[in-house]
Amino acid sequence: MAPKGEFFRWWGKDTRKGTPVIVTMENVNYSVVEIDGPDSAFRPIDKDRVKNAKQFTWVLILKANRAVGCLAWLGHILWALLGAIKKRLFLRNGVAMESENENEGKSGKGKFLFGFILCLLMTAMAFLGFEVIAHYMRWPYFQEHNLHIPQTLEIRSWLHLIYVSWLGFRADYIAPLILSFSNFCVVLFLIQSLDRMILCLGCFWIKYKNIKPRINGDPFNSNDNEPSKYIYPMVLVQIPMCNEREVYEQSISAVCQLDWPKDRLLIQVLDDSDDESIQWLIKGEVSKWMQKGVNIVYRHRLIRTGYKAGNLKSAMSCDYVKDYEFVAIFDADFQPNSDYLKLTVPHFNENPELGLVQARWGFVNKDENLLTRLQDINLCFHFEVEQQVNGVFLNFFGFNGTAGVWRIKALEESGGWLERTTVEDMDIAVRAHLHGWKFIYLNDVKVLCEVPESYEAYKKQQYRWHSGPMQLFRVCLPSIITSKISIWKKANLILLFFLLRKLILPFYSFTLFCIILPLTMFVPEAELPAWVICYVPVFMSFLSILPAPKSFPFIAPYLLFENTMSVTKFNAMVSGLFQLGSSYEWVVTKKAGRASEPDLLAAAERESLPAMNLQQSHRGASDSGLSELIKLKEHQESPPKKKKTNKIYKKELALAFLLLTAALRSLLSAHGVHFYFLLFQGVSFLLVGLDLIGEQMRAHVAARVRSLI
């Protein structure tokens, strides 16, 4: 046994990591050492204890075992990636090419952008081959890239002559052009980074001073001696939906359980579904809550124009709306808590200039996969920093389209819902701001919803979110200029709200990191400094991830993914700005219906009930169409799921190969940080292009549900 003196007994009080290994030597002349880990044998030891070759061998074996495990893990990831590439690019198993009929394809802008990227890729590959030939032919200037070519240069061949001429043309004409454009993008990058830093400082100040909207007293406080004197205003709740089979039930259920006097509340279910079976299901859910005493109505439009804006506009034209003072809006996947109205509506008391109270979003499926985690980081910064700072210091921010309460008078004075853009929420917010209405953002009030779990759904959502603001900027710019608001409010709307955060951000992200950076690898005279490529982006990503501190391990994937999404955002921004093709098309974001763990349990229990229990659960429904409803519940509530088809996104794949080609060129020149950035950014584009970013961990989810049950 190893010797244990007083020192060892005292040291043993600390918690040790790993499994202790006792090595005993057969030769009594050798000392005995206790090894706690692979590095313990190399620590300073007493002079009277002699190191042993067998001990070093044992430690080296431990280190080799750890290294082999790490290499095996990396090899497994690489093998899985190669398998996915083979499956998607060569075998085409369960894979479909990106449809040209999607948003960016209809306008022709998507085809033009893909052709431009493909042209850059072919040119880069040709230049790379030329540079490799020059390197192995030992032609000068491959490493040095001198700007002035000596007259005594010996021309070895016609290919060498072409290479030398290219070096001179590159230094005299191409490099200055790229330098000018890159400097312009870097200036925009620094301005946008400064804006983000100011927003973060404002958020820190809000946290430090504990600034937030407050209600005077407790309007709902009551006791046995004196009841509450609060006069509940008339509130209208609207749930616009369109073919929302997965989430209609949970959203209607959550809204019907709002804690508000039933005679002061009306719920409108605004169904734009064109699937008759879904219409019957929603009607049955509305009938069930109606029989429970909830004041709820079902509305379906025969002429479905204007998408969500047209749906809301049609609902506000009802005669009974004039009896209500406020309207709360929830999209079909949102589930407000029962106290939502009590936390929001009282802010309107004694504040006649207040037009909107906006609550924060909470995401129930943020841990579903890598894509949902990255969206959580992005949206947490939007709500925690952007919305909160603008709400506190400017009393204005973009309405998020849901989880908000409007004063109906503010909607009417601002012109109501208009169908001129795909961002009707931002449109009404800008017009209300121009009419002098103020907004309040409540960061402490959270409404549960879900984020897209597939890259296809997320891409369509981001396309609409970035093309719509540019449409709106075109149509409302004259109104902003001629409005009666102060000059600094006009400057905030035009320069910050629209230009800097909606136009400049996607523009420089795409051009600087996806076009200019790989080009500079082949034009080293215009090379970008390391602080532009690494230090400033990492610092900005650090600031962006602060509102979601649990997501710090994902800071590198977040940075890479944001640059990857820049191609979609840039394409959408240009389409909206120049009114190209389908920039006015609304695509409903596909939802999975993953509300919460209690809802998963309830759904599992409902599926286990026999058919007669299903009939009893809808006994409160109206007799009209009851038999049809039961049949639909049995046969169509769980339709056969289509096999998931992954898509290949051509623009992302072309950019992936362009960046990887530039990474190879950077490796030849030993650029350091440029090589690593290009390599990882190219891999991220490759993963997105092969639709691997939103892969479902179905086995993990199934195990989680089984453990809950």
Side-chain angles (χ1 to χ4, degrees):
M1 299 294 293
K4 285 187 177 288
E6 294 296 330
F7 172 77
F8 288 97
R9 283 193 293 269
W10 171 80
W11 182 262
K13 295 179 182 179
D14 295 337
T15 302
R16 298 186 178 187
K17 298 181 179 179
T19 303
V21 179
I22 306 299
V23 181
T24 305
M25 303 300 155
E26 297 179 357
N27 192 336
V28 297
N29 294 327
Y30 291 151
S31 63
V32 180
V33 65
E34 182 177 353
I35 302 176
D36 290 331
D39 300 326
S40 59
F42 297 97
R43 296 171 184 167
I45 59 175
D46 298 336
K47 293 182 179 180
D48 57 345
R49 303 179 66 184
V50 183
K51 296 182 180 178
N52 186 282
K54 291 185 177 181
Q55 298 170 12
F56 285 106
T57 302
W58 177 256
V59 173
L60 291 177
I61 291 175
L62 292 178
K63 284 182 173 290
N65 181 59
R66 180 177 295 179
V68 169
C70 182
L71 291 176
W73 179 73
L74 294 175
H76 176 73
I77 294 179
L78 179 60
W79 185 258
L81 179 60
L82 293 177
I85 295 174
K86 178 181 178 182
K87 175 182 176 182
R88 284 159 168 74
L89 290 183
F90 301 105
L91 300 181
R92 298 287 179 85
N93 292 337
V95 178
M97 295 298 292
E98 182 182 10
S99 174
E100 293 297 342
N101 292 326
E102 293 184 0
N103 294 348
E104 59 268 30
K106 285 184 178 179
S107 62
K109 177 66 175 62
K111 293 182 180 179
F112 174 78
L113 184 59
F114 173 70
F116 174 72
I117 297 172
L118 197 61
C119 180
L120 287 180
L121 173 61
M122 296 297 103
T123 305
M125 294 181 68
F127 285 164
L128 178 62
F130 205 26
E131 296 281 11
V132 171
I133 293 174
H135 176 67
Y136 283 102
M137 295 294 292
R138 299 182 182 277
W139 291 341
Y141 313 112
F142 179 77
Q143 297 292 339
E144 298 178 359
H145 299 291
N146 294 328
L147 297 179
H148 301 285
I149 301 176
Q151 299 294 329
T152 58
L153 176 66
E154 179 183 356
I155 303 299
R156 303 177 185 177
S157 64
W158 64 270
L159 195 61
H160 189 193
L161 177 63
I162 295 175
Y163 177 68
V164 172
S165 302
W166 156 248
L167 291 180
F169 180 79
R170 185 182 71 188
D172 295 336
Y173 299 100
I174 298 181
L177 183 64
I178 295 180
L179 271 175
S180 301
F181 193 55
S182 62
N183 290 335
F184 174 70
C185 292
V186 168
V187 170
L188 297 180
F189 177 37
L190 294 177
I191 294 175
Q192 196 274 335
S193 301
L194 180 62
D195 173 65
R196 179 154 294 203
M197 289 182 60
I198 294 175
L199 288 174
C200 290
L201 291 175
C203 184
F204 291 149
W205 181 259
I206 291 172
K207 297 294 183 183
Y208 176 71
K209 293 293 185 177
N210 194 22
I211 303 173
K212 60 181 179 180
R214 290 180 171 86
I215 303 173
N216 294 328
D218 186 0
F220 306 102
N221 185 22
S222 62
N223 49 49
D224 297 336
N225 298 328
E226 184 179 356
S228 174
K229 296 181 180 180
Y230 181 74
I231 301 176
Y232 290 85
M234 299 288 287
V235 177
L236 177 68
V237 179
Q238 296 177 333
I239 313 176
M241 58 178 61
C242 180
N243 297 325
E244 306 283 2
R245 182 189 295 271
E246 295 81 8
V247 295
Y248 76 93
E249 188 173 359
Q250 62 195 28
S251 62
I252 295 176
S253 174
V255 171
C256 289
Q257 298 179 55
L258 288 172
D259 186 8
W260 202 257
K262 295 182 179 180
D263 60 334
R264 315 292 292 178
L265 179 70
L266 174 63
I267 300 172
Q268 285 182 320
V269 178
L270 311 177
D271 184 21
D272 259 6
S273 303
D274 54 6
D275 189 332
E276 188 175 354
S277 64
I278 300 178
Q279 296 176 24
W280 274 105
L281 293 174
I282 298 175
K283 287 180 182 178
E285 186 69 17
V286 171
S287 298
K288 181 179 70 175
W289 287 101
M290 189 180 299
Q291 293 297 326
K292 292 182 179 180
V294 177
N295 193 11
I296 183 172
V297 296
Y298 174 85
R299 296 189 81 256
H300 181 267
R301 294 193 300 162
L302 297 178
I303 302 177
R304 300 169 57 251
T305 59
Y307 303 108
K308 181 181 176 181
N311 198 0
L312 294 172
K313 181 179 180 180
S314 174
M316 295 299 294
S317 64
C318 296
D319 294 336
Y320 53 78
V321 172
K322 65 179 181 297
D323 299 329
Y324 293 84
E325 187 177 358
F326 304 104
V327 56
I329 303 172
F330 300 100
D331 283 350
D333 59 317
F334 279 72
Q335 305 168 73
N337 293 329
S338 59
D339 60 349
Y340 172 82
L341 293 178
K342 290 187 174 181
L343 295 175
T344 55
V345 175
H347 285 277
F348 290 95
N349 292 347
E350 300 178 358
N351 195 352
E353 296 181 349
L354 182 61
L356 168 67
V357 175
Q358 173 73 60
R360 181 175 179 169
W361 297 2
F363 312 107
V364 296
N365 62 335
K366 62 182 180 180
D367 298 326
E368 188 65 30
N369 53 42
L370 178 60
L371 178 61
T372 58
R373 290 178 183 272
L374 299 179
Q375 290 180 74
D376 177 63
I377 296 173
N378 204 2
L379 290 172
C380 280
F381 181 85
H382 169 70
F383 286 104
E384 185 86 14
V385 180
E386 293 180 345
Q387 297 292 77
Q388 186 171 211
V389 171
N390 290 327
V392 169
F393 295 104
L394 300 177
N395 294 123
F396 166 73
F397 47 82
F399 175 46
N400 295 115
T402 178
V405 181
W406 277 95
R407 190 189 297 270
I408 295 180
K409 182 180 178 181
L411 291 177
E412 294 173 348
E413 288 188 358
S414 304
W417 299 104
L418 298 181
E419 307 165 9
R420 56 183 182 176
T421 68
T422 58
V423 284
E424 76 295 326
D425 46 5
M426 186 181 295
D427 189 0
I428 189 62
V430 170
R431 286 185 282 119
H433 181 58
L434 296 179
H435 282 78
W437 292 98
K438 296 181 179 180
F439 302 164
I440 282 181
Y441 172 73
L442 302 179
N443 192 56
D444 297 333
V445 181
K446 188 176 294 186
V447 180
L448 295 179
C449 63
E450 64 174 82
V451 290
E453 296 180 5
S454 67
Y455 178 70
E456 179 184 5
Y458 179 65
K459 183 177 181 180
K460 292 179 179 179
Q461 181 196 70
Q462 292 299 305
Y463 187 92
R464 175 168 57 86
W465 285 5
H466 286 81
S467 65
M470 291 297 98
Q471 303 170 22
L472 180 61
F473 180 65
R474 286 177 57 95
V475 298
C476 73
L477 181 59
S479 301
I480 296 175
I481 296 176
T482 58
S483 64
K484 297 181 181 180
I485 61 176
S486 61
I487 296 179
W488 71 272
K489 288 185 177 181
K490 293 180 182 180
N492 172 68
L493 273 176
I494 297 175
L495 299 179
L496 294 181
F497 187 76
F498 281 112
L499 291 182
L500 184 60
R501 297 166 189 167
K502 309 300 181 185
L503 189 148
I504 291 178
L505 177 58
F507 172 78
Y508 85 75
S509 296
F510 174 71
T511 55
L512 185 62
F513 296 107
C514 300
I515 301 298
I516 295 178
L517 176 60
L519 286 181
T520 58
M521 295 298 100
F522 302 95
V523 187
E525 295 86 358
E527 180 179 330
L528 292 173
W531 60 268
V532 175
I533 304 303
C534 179
Y535 305 127
V536 175
V538 169
F539 179 68
M540 290 297 105
S541 299
F542 175 78
L543 293 181
S544 300
I545 213 169
L546 281 179
K550 294 183 180 180
S551 301
F552 268 103
F554 300 94
I555 185 171
Y558 171 74
L559 171 61
L560 297 174
F561 182 69
E562 283 298 295
N563 290 334
T564 304
M565 283 303 301
S566 63
V567 60
T568 297
K569 297 177 181 179
F570 173 81
N571 194 24
M573 180 268 295
V574 174
S575 298
L577 186 62
F578 297 101
Q579 296 179 323
L580 300 178
S582 60
S583 57
Y584 288 95
E585 181 180 357
W586 178 292
V587 180
V588 178
T589 304
K590 185 179 180 181
K591 305 171 182 70
R594 303 179 189 274
S596 59
E597 294 182 359
D599 291 329
L600 291 175
L601 288 173
E605 292 176 358
R606 286 196 304 268
E607 292 177 0
S608 64
L609 290 176
M612 61 179 182
N613 290 346
L614 179 62
Q615 183 174 354
Q616 293 177 358
S617 64
H618 291 277
R619 186 173 296 171
S622 60
D623 294 335
S624 175
L626 179 60
S627 59
E628 291 84 351
L629 176 61
I630 295 175
K631 291 179 181 179
L632 288 172
K633 278 288 186 179
E634 293 176 350
H635 299 288
Q636 296 180 358
E637 187 170 8
S638 299
K641 295 182 179 180
K642 295 181 180 180
K643 184 177 180 181
K644 183 180 183 295
T645 301
N646 293 87
K647 288 192 175 183
I648 293 179
Y649 299 96
K650 297 183 293 184
K651 290 188 288 295
E652 285 78 359
L653 275 182
L655 279 171
F657 292 125
L658 174 62
L659 292 168
L660 292 176
T661 303
L664 288 177
R665 177 62 182 84
S666 177
L667 182 63
L668 292 175
S669 300
H671 278 89
V673 68
H674 296 73
F675 165 73
Y676 291 107
F677 181 86
L678 288 167
L679 175 63
F680 293 125
Q681 189 66 70
V683 171
S684 67
F685 267 104
L686 184 63
L687 294 176
V688 170
L690 297 176
D691 198 11
L692 293 174
I693 187 67
E695 286 284 335
Q696 300 292 334
M697 298 179 289
R698 299 189 184 277
H700 170 72
V701 175
R704 178 185 175 192
V705 173
R706 285 195 298 268
S707 64
L708 290 172
I709 296 176

